Amino acid sequence: MKNHALNKWVLQRLSAIVLIPLLLFLLYSLVDLVNQDYTGALDFFDSHLSIAIFILFLIFAGTHLKLGLGEIIEDYIQNESMKGILKKIIMLTSAILPLVGIVSLIIIIL
């Protein structure tokens, strides 16, 4: 039990550390995209590096979301059946949101 909690804690901290530079890149890119026209924005998404960074951000954000909300549920929800339902909702949400983002990026680049 103790080792599992430590692993989750370490994974949550590592995902947060990885998210910081990815988020900074995305914020910089979004500010730059505001000044672009439609073809300029499409050119940005033609870059494999930009797509890879967006996909990594979505994956790590989903992981961080799942770990963080899971800990909140564990700490503050006492009803075991409610806890199980909320954990399933969190698992689905943290998987579906990045998947929708990745599919959207693929549609944009095609």
Side-chain angles (χ1 to χ4, degrees), residues 21-67:
L22 295 174
L23 179 63
L24 292 174
F25 174 80
L26 290 175
L27 290 175
Y28 174 78
S29 300
L30 290 175
V31 168
D32 188 45
L33 283 175
V34 168
N35 299 322
Q36 299 286 330
D37 60 353
Y38 181 72
T39 56
L42 286 180
D43 289 341
F44 174 78
F45 285 108
D46 278 341
S47 167
H48 294 296
L49 178 63
S50 297
I51 295 295
I53 290 174
F54 270 79
I55 289 173
L56 282 174
F57 176 79
L58 292 170
I59 291 169
F60 278 98
T63 302
H64 192 72
L65 172 78
K66 180 180 180 288
L67 291 169

Side-chain angles (χ1 to χ4, degrees), residues 1 8 67-78 80 83-84 87 90:
M1 170 76 175
K8 284 175 31 176
L67 291 169
L69 290 178
E71 285 301 311
I72 291 170
I73 299 302
E74 282 293 325
D75 291 345
Y76 295 106
I77 304 297
Q78 302 302 318
E80 290 299 322
K83 193 182 289 190
K87 282 184 177 182
I90 290 168

